Amino acid sequence: MNVLIIGSGGREHCLAWKISHSRMAGHIYAAPGNAGMSDVAECIDIGINEFEALADFAVGHEVGLTVVGPEAPLVGGIADYFRKRGLDVFGPGKEGAQLEGSKVFTRNLAQKYGVPAAEGKVFSAEEYNEARQYIKSSKTYPLVLKADGLAFGKGVIIASGREQALDCLDDFFVGQKFGPAGNQIIVENFLTGYEVSLLCFYDGNNIVPLDLAQDYKRIKDNNQGKNTGGMGSYSPVPKVNQELMEKIMDSIIEPTCRGLQQEGIDYRGILYAGLMISEGRPYLLEYNCRFGDPETQAVLPRMEDDLLPWLLDCSQAKLKDTPIQWSDESCVCVVLASAGYPETSSKGDIIKGLEKLAETSNIMVFHAGTAFHQNHLVTDGGRVLGVVGKAASFEQARQNIYAAIKNIDFRGKQFRKDIALNVGR
Ligand code: AMP
Ligand code: GLY
């Protein structure tokens, strides 16, 4: 079966790599893909939001399944469009993708179906004065302010005191810093604990969880500095035991899926829960409607099953109620970012040394912001490469990765040195 993967990041490279090992896979296309994907996929020059051109391509090239990587086309309704044209596609339609596209939608659903989340309140721009009052009367800080809509991961502000919270409120409603994404906001309490990412296949009937992962959002070691798209990840997460996993499924995932069903929303794709574990109890921070990046790069290398049948079954609402088989190994992904990231990102710097890793079987490199320019591999965005290692222990995987990173060079290379440090196993 021919497969079309939509997107151009490390997540999509990893999806293409895993699908390339499928016994069912025929030709693999990526739109638009990136420089590193060409070893496992044919990159085609169609943008992620060009629904008609993408569907025409799928029809013309006998694509049996289209897998959508990023959220923007899902929130924009790509899956509905493909299904209307009779094409199988992995990812929820526009209604289901609201779980990521609207934090207010998710908060309301969570409240209605009893999913534990931080206490808070929704305000629209017309309720500016009420929001000010709410902030002023808050006795606990930090307070968290969130834009309703998609904001490239920058729409969540953690205000350490009242003045900062009021300034943020003005950024949302007066300065309109987040445009229409900030027409409604949520003000909520700050939860403490540790975060985990749980990705599940969900097809409207069955829920099949993938193994847990943790990602690292801040640019610097010890979770310092600015938020990024993700600087690294690891899987599994040893500190989450079976009992806690059951709590997560029973108190968060199952009520959400029941809620989607009762609201009449046909969801077929990944349901990705961002969770805070606080004193042994899970709370929902957010939902995403797609594979996580860089969680995917730490999770899929451990998946022993063939991925493509899972994707296809889920997209056709025929998901099997059986667990996925996982390797016992530990997997780590360390992201190499370009100079200036996350405020800016550089393009066109030559990337050297990848050929030295070609013989190293314990390392994989997934490309994100890379391109070819005059026969050179160059940087082409903020997150450039994900270096992934799988080994008997996290410590061994880390050693392999950090030894490999020494060989990879480009101007201003940034990476964290504490990914999967001291996580057990
Ligand atoms: P979200 O997009 O809602 O997941 O928020 C992005 C990040 O902000 C999360 O991964 C958390 O690190 C942080 N965050 C969001 N909401 C809260 C909260 N209520 N308490 C503590 N941290 C939060
Ligand atoms: N790793 C966070 C995300 O994919 O949104």
Side-chain angles (χ1 to χ4, degrees), residues 103 117-119 144 146 153 155-158 188-192 195 215 217-218 227 274 276 284-288:
K103 289 188 190 294
E119 291 236 347
V144 185
K146 299 182 173 186
V156 175
I157 285 118
I158 295 170
E188 69 183 30
N189 290 349
F190 182 77
L191 296 169
T192 53
E195 289 181 51
D215 78 342
K217 292 204 167 76
R218 304 291 191 98
N227 254 332
M276 180 73 83
L284 176 68
L285 288 178
E286 64 163 346
Y287 272 120
N288 294 318

Side-chain angles (χ1 to χ4, degrees), residues 296-342:
T296 302
Q297 295 91 308
V299 169
L300 291 187
R302 296 185 48 249
M303 184 177 185
E304 288 183 340
D305 292 23
D306 186 339
L307 175 64
L308 188 51
W310 281 101
L311 297 173
L312 191 67
D313 287 350
C314 186
S315 71
Q316 296 177 340
K318 292 179 189 157
L319 205 51
K320 287 180 197 65
D321 189 15
T322 52
I324 298 169
Q325 297 302 309
W326 298 98
S327 146
D328 283 337
E329 288 171 302
S330 303
C331 192
V332 181
C333 170
V334 177
V335 170
L336 304 186
S338 67
Y341 185 71

Side-chain angles (χ1 to χ4, degrees), residues 26-37:
H27 204 79
I28 302 173
Y29 300 98
N34 62 41
M37 287 169 83

Side-chain angles (χ1 to χ4, degrees), residues 59 98 307 354 384 397 409 418:
V59 172
Q98 287 180 94
L307 175 64
L354 284 184
V384 178
D409 204 26
D418 64 346

Side-chain angles (χ1 to χ4, degrees), residues 212-226:
L212 284 163
Q214 199 162 40
D215 78 342
Y216 293 73
K217 292 204 167 76
R218 304 291 191 98
I219 184 79
K220 294 203 174 128
D221 284 7
N222 298 317
N223 298 326
Q224 302 295 310
K226 292 236 155 89

Side-chain angles (χ1 to χ4, degrees), residues 162-173:
R162 180 186 290 184
E163 286 314 309
Q164 196 195 349
L166 290 171
D167 286 349
C168 286
L169 183 69
D170 284 354
D171 283 344
F172 281 112
F173 286 159

Side-chain angles (χ1 to χ4, degrees), residues 110-408:
Q111 220 157 30
K112 186 167 171 188
Y113 293 95
V115 175
E119 291 236 347
K121 207 165 169 348
V122 176
F123 297 96
S124 64
E126 295 76 51
E127 294 166 313
Y128 173 73
N129 288 329
E130 288 89 331
R132 273 188 75 84
Q133 237 9 76
Y134 184 85
I135 290 171
K136 280 186 178 168
S137 63
S138 172
K139 293 191 177 54
T140 54
Y141 279 92
L143 264 188
V144 185
L145 284 84
K146 299 182 173 186
D148 173 47
L150 291 183
F152 304 102
K154 298 198 171 111
V156 175
I157 285 118
I158 295 170
S160 51
R162 180 186 290 184
E163 286 314 309
Q164 196 195 349
L166 290 171
D167 286 349
C168 286
L169 183 69
D170 284 354
D171 283 344
F172 281 112
F173 286 159
V174 182
Q176 304 209 316
K177 193 170 166 186
F178 298 96
N183 283 350
Q184 287 192 94
I185 63 162
I186 297 168
V187 183
E188 69 183 30
N189 290 349
F190 182 77
L191 296 169
T192 53
Y194 63 91
E195 289 181 51
V196 287
S197 304
L198 174 62
L199 282 66
C200 302
F201 287 120
Y202 178 54
D203 72 345
N205 293 304
N206 286 321
I207 309 164
V208 182
L210 280 74
D211 251 2
L212 284 163
Q214 199 162 40
D215 78 342
Y216 293 73
K217 292 204 167 76
R218 304 291 191 98
I219 184 79
K220 294 203 174 128
D221 284 7
N222 298 317
N223 298 326
Q224 302 295 310
K226 292 236 155 89
N227 254 332
T228 69
M231 292 299 290
S233 58
Y234 68 87
S235 176
V237 182
K239 62 187 159 189
V240 176
N241 60 21
Q242 188 60 28
E243 187 191 341
L244 178 53
M245 185 65 192
E246 279 167 22
K247 261 191 222 167
I248 295 171
M249 294 307 290
D250 292 349
S251 68
I252 304 217
I253 305 296
E254 279 168 17
T256 302
C257 293
R258 209 168 46 244
L260 288 169
Q261 260 179 350
Q262 287 188 13
E263 301 296 318
I265 295 175
D266 171 21
Y267 198 102
R268 294 182 236 167
I270 289 285
L271 181 67
Y272 160 161
L275 305 167
M276 180 73 83
I277 311 297
S278 192
E279 291 169 7
R281 287 211 199 97
Y283 294 85
L284 176 68
L285 288 178
E286 64 163 346
Y287 272 120
N288 294 318
C289 61
R290 42 143 185 107
F291 281 99
D293 190 342
E295 288 93 329
T296 302
Q297 295 91 308
V299 169
L300 291 187
R302 296 185 48 249
M303 184 177 185
E304 288 183 340
D305 292 23
D306 186 339
L307 175 64
L308 188 51
W310 281 101
L311 297 173
L312 191 67
D313 287 350
C314 186
S315 71
Q316 296 177 340
K318 292 179 189 157
L319 205 51
K320 287 180 197 65
D321 189 15
T322 52
I324 298 169
Q325 297 302 309
W326 298 98
S327 146
D328 283 337
E329 288 171 302
S330 303
C331 192
V332 181
C333 170
V334 177
V335 170
L336 304 186
S338 67
Y341 185 71
E343 289 92 346
T344 58
S345 61
S346 75
K347 288 187 176 200
D349 293 314
I350 294 177
I351 302 168
K352 292 188 200 137
L354 284 184
E355 66 290 345
K356 290 189 201 142
L357 304 182
E359 309 97 61
T360 326
S361 59
N362 55 19
I363 289 294
M364 282 186 294
V365 178
F366 294 118
H367 289 226
T370 66
F372 280 115
H373 183 63
Q374 296 175 343
N375 281 334
H376 289 296
L377 182 70
V378 296
T379 61
D380 192 38
R383 289 187 291 173
V384 178
L385 300 167
V387 183
V388 173
K390 194 172 64 158
S393 67
F394 281 115
E395 206 37 54
Q396 188 60 54
R398 279 172 45 79
Q399 276 177 24
N400 298 345
I401 291 170
Y402 287 110
I405 287 176
K406 286 200 182 119
N407 290 309
I408 308 172

